[in-house]
Amino acid sequence: MLYHVFMDVKIPRDLPAEEAAEIIAREKAYSQDLQRSGKWRHIWRVAGQYANISIFDVRDNAELHEILSGLPLFPFMDIKVTPLLRHPSAVREDDS
Amino acid sequence: MLYHVFMDVKIPRDLPAEEAAEIIAREKAYSQDLQRSGKWRHIWRVAGQYANISIFDVRDNAELHEILSGLPLFPFMDIKVTPLLRHPSAVREDDS
Amino acid sequence: MLYHVFMDVKIPRDLPAEEAAEIIAREKAYSQDLQRSGKWRHIWRVAGQYANISIFDVRDNAELHEILSGLPLFPFMDIKVTPLLRHPSAVREDDS
Amino acid sequence: MLYHVFMDVKIPRDLPAEEAAEIIAREKAYSQDLQRSGKWRHIWRVAGQYANISIFDVRDNAELHEILSGLPLFPFMDIKVTPLLRHPSAVREDDS
Amino acid sequence: MLYHVFMDVKIPRDLPAEEAAEIIAREKAYSQDLQRSGKWRHIWRVAGQYANISIFDVRDNAELHEILSGLPLFPFMDIKVTPLLRHPSAVREDDS
Amino acid sequence: MLYHVFMDVKIPRDLPAEEAAEIIAREKAYSQDLQRSGKWRHIWRVAGQYANISIFDVRDNAELHEILSGLPLFPFMDIKVTPLLRHPSAVREDDS
Amino acid sequence: MLYHVFMDVKIPRDLPAEEAAEIIAREKAYSQDLQRSGKWRHIWRVAGQYANISIFDVRDNAELHEILSGLPLFPFMDIKVTPLLRHPSAVREDDS
Amino acid sequence: MLYHVFMDVKIPRDLPAEEAAEIIAREKAYSQDLQRSGKWRHIWRVAGQYANISIFDVRDNAELHEILSGLPLFPFMDIKVTPLLRHPSAVREDDS
Amino acid sequence: MLYHVFMDVKIPRDLPAEEAAEIIAREKAYSQDLQRSGKWRHIWRVAGQYANISIFDVRDNAELHEILSGLPLFPFMDIKVTPLLRHPSAVREDDS
Amino acid sequence: MLYHVFMDVKIPRDLPAEEAAEIIAREKAYSQDLQRSGKWRHIWRVAGQYANISIFDVRDNAELHEILSGLPLFPFMDIKVTPLLRHPSAVREDDS
């Protein structure tokens, strides 16, 4: 089941640079593991912003929340979830 | 080059049903042609709304505008464009 | 799987009274069938508004959309969907 | 009498971790006591957010305020209250 | 129990003048009956707007909704309800 | 002359508890003096919020500002003023 | 006593041109009479909009409302009122 | 040439009181000099807010910006500029 | 003197197609005359919208308003004006 | 390819003055290099605000993001990107 997720990152200025770097590195690994598993299906950078738009393919709302609330950057993100479904005009097999 | 496009459809009540049906049929064909060509890369329905979220892969801003303003439903849509790019954590080859 | 749905109804003034009454009667039957089936788990009126707040328990995003877009009042509603999940502090067995 | 309450939690970064954990533990106990008493009728987590949607069944506005302003997390929450009533199409006995 | 209600009136231009006048006259009588009964405790005009701010003193959410949805101008109003309670600093006996 | 005032209080976390308590005590005395003088005609708590809705009866805009800017909690409040007048349907003598 | 008033005019397209012209002529005469009396102290056009920003000097909220609700264009305006007072740094005698 | 300027002041709590007082004193002198020169034509306090509404009469956009960015309180203000011109119904000679 | 102007066009559906075409043709001629005169310095289409972003170089606010209110599409546009000036980092001679 | 970029700068008060000055100097050099290269085609100051409106002419979304995220002031800016294209009424050769 698909979800559209917008993530806007605001890292506080008083977070020590090393701690920030370590969190960002963990975030990358966490994201790439989920991408390889197929659960984090797409991720794109929004031009001009420290933000991304992602598509998740998970079992249900609970699994989505478990993944999002486990993001190393979760405490520093504004997140907006939009549930998606197959569009009646879609031709691509895997857009659902 | 990738763009995120949100399309919200509001068909006016006084549009004759036949005319609406004909426009919607043309919209579907128009969309599917562009999907098959690879320019309209993804399209999903937003749950509970007469709206879609799409990803376009086009040459430039001008081509995107040409496609969107040519939509049969264009006069009845609110459209919001967000330019995207490859995310540094992306693993999928074709997310750029 | 649970969803929170806010439905705001705006029936256009030029809808003939009989047609409106017929649509509202169908809406009530449609809603009550789904409530009895367990899919439309709760429905409350918002004080002072022609609006309701509902909780749906459905298989997935697609089934939710099928139900909502099938509402007889769907063309006259603004709908906002919020995906829910079991809260870690919940004690009631069926709040998930 | 029923109320819909949306609670959005923002725990400040400079709250010591132990103090935060202690507040969250008290919040859970406080909530579960009220759930068992029947006053806090439902609580659900909002997917992707540190937020919940709850239904309260209390005597009046004053009791609702007493409960909400007594929440251990109250100083760290944005709260929005919507008064509810039985919907004319409701079939479930206890949705009022 | 007290509620703060903001009512913004927008009478459509195509409502025949006689029909509008008749509705407004019924609205006035309806309001004054409720004011005399004590349920519609205060009503003030907002300067520069066809709008009022009112305080209702009713049994519960359901009675408030019954009163508001019975307003002759209800179909032409945007209504916003805010539940109130006695303020801990209030000195006036009847502000609760 | 009447004014509707909405006051939303946000006491900063780093204000020492004693200082906050002293300010709140002064606020209460200040408010009650003005209530007894008849200038602060009504005050109600908004359910679920550290906020109040008040009605002032003062000589003019300048007196209203003098009162509001003199509130001990003024530096910690968002204030919104709405000028009121007697409603043509009002029956209560003192709602003007 | 001074008030800042923003008036945004939206004349409906289906208002016959002669009727619109007659209303606008009456509006101009009405405004100029009040300007000459000193009650409508200033009026400026907002660049690029069919809107004005005005300063009124009237006895009280009620007189302001009487003037504004008597505007020939009142049914076609969105109006926002902001109560003003003398600024402590003002040097001009008549800015109060 | 005339401009409408709304200035909302938010002095940070951690600004030392003496420094704040000194800035406010400089602001007052700066404003009064410009008022006497005729460039800062009007200034009014907004009731209930630490904000003002002003009218400037300056040569061009650049001079307006030079004046505003030179305000001692500029770093602590939200400023909104609206360009004005003579209204066709204005009777007062100097409202342009 | 420079102004940034955003123009959003909404042509009503009930405007006869010939009348719309004639207005759009006049708009184009009007715009191109002003572009050639140097007063309408830039015009760009916003991707995916029937809207443009323009830069005007005119004598003052009054001339800007005269030009904008004379646009054949003016009654069908939402217009937002932002006054500009030379940026201290600008290198291009004519960006002021 | 053209983009409209709005940049709103908020330098935190606790940034040491020297560090701020050094960042601003680097920002100016960075901007001027890009202006001379033709990629940062226009930059204007917004009157009354620490903000600018710019036009970029770059290869694609990715190059725009690389430039914007490399701005020395990037961590202190709110940035909004709007993709542009040649307007059908444009006469100036280089507005595309």
Side-chain angles (χ1 to χ4, degrees), chain G residues 52-95:
Chain G
N52 73 71
I53 286 177
S54 292
I55 305 292
F56 285 85
D57 179 8
V58 292
R59 198 175 47 246
D60 55 18
N61 296 341
E63 190 183 18
L64 179 70
H65 186 74
E66 189 187 340
I67 287 172
L68 294 177
S69 61
L71 287 164
L73 284 171
F74 182 73
F76 311 127
M77 279 178 169
D78 282 334
I79 289 181
K80 183 166 164 17
V81 171
T82 306
L84 300 177
L85 57 142
R86 185 171 184 81
H87 193 282
S89 300
V91 299
R92 187 164 165 156
E93 285 306 309
D94 61 349
D95 267 359

Side-chain angles (χ1 to χ4, degrees), chain G residues 1-47:
Chain G
M1 197 163 52
L2 300 180
Y3 297 87
H4 177 277
V5 181
F6 175 77
M7 304 183 207
D8 193 22
V9 186
K10 295 202 195 303
I11 295 184
R13 277 185 58 240
D14 61 356
L15 194 71
E18 285 175 43
E19 192 177 339
E22 186 270 339
I23 293 173
I24 291 169
R26 277 197 290 126
E27 177 86 10
K28 185 171 188 170
Y30 182 94
S31 167
Q32 293 189 332
D33 283 353
L34 285 160
Q35 288 181 64
R36 287 193 199 96
S37 77
K39 288 181 192 296
W40 193 326
R41 198 184 278 194
H42 300 285
I43 180 169
W44 298 283
R45 172 67 80 215
V46 177

Side-chain angles (χ1 to χ4, degrees), chain I residues 48-59:
Chain I
Q49 296 185 30
Y50 192 178
N52 73 72
I53 287 176
S54 292
I55 305 293
F56 285 85
D57 179 8
V58 291
R59 198 174 47 246

Side-chain angles (χ1 to χ4, degrees), chain D residues 77-88:
Chain D
M77 278 180 169
D78 282 332
I79 289 182
K80 183 168 165 14
V81 171
T82 306
L84 300 177
L85 57 143
R86 187 171 181 80
H87 193 280

Side-chain angles (χ1 to χ4, degrees), chain I residues 48-77:
Chain I
Q49 296 185 30
Y50 192 178
N52 73 72
I53 287 176
S54 292
I55 305 293
F56 285 85
D57 179 8
V58 291
R59 198 174 47 246
D60 54 18
N61 296 341
E63 190 183 19
L64 178 70
H65 186 73
E66 189 188 340
I67 287 172
L68 294 177
S69 61
L71 286 164
L73 284 171
F74 183 73
F76 311 129
M77 279 179 169

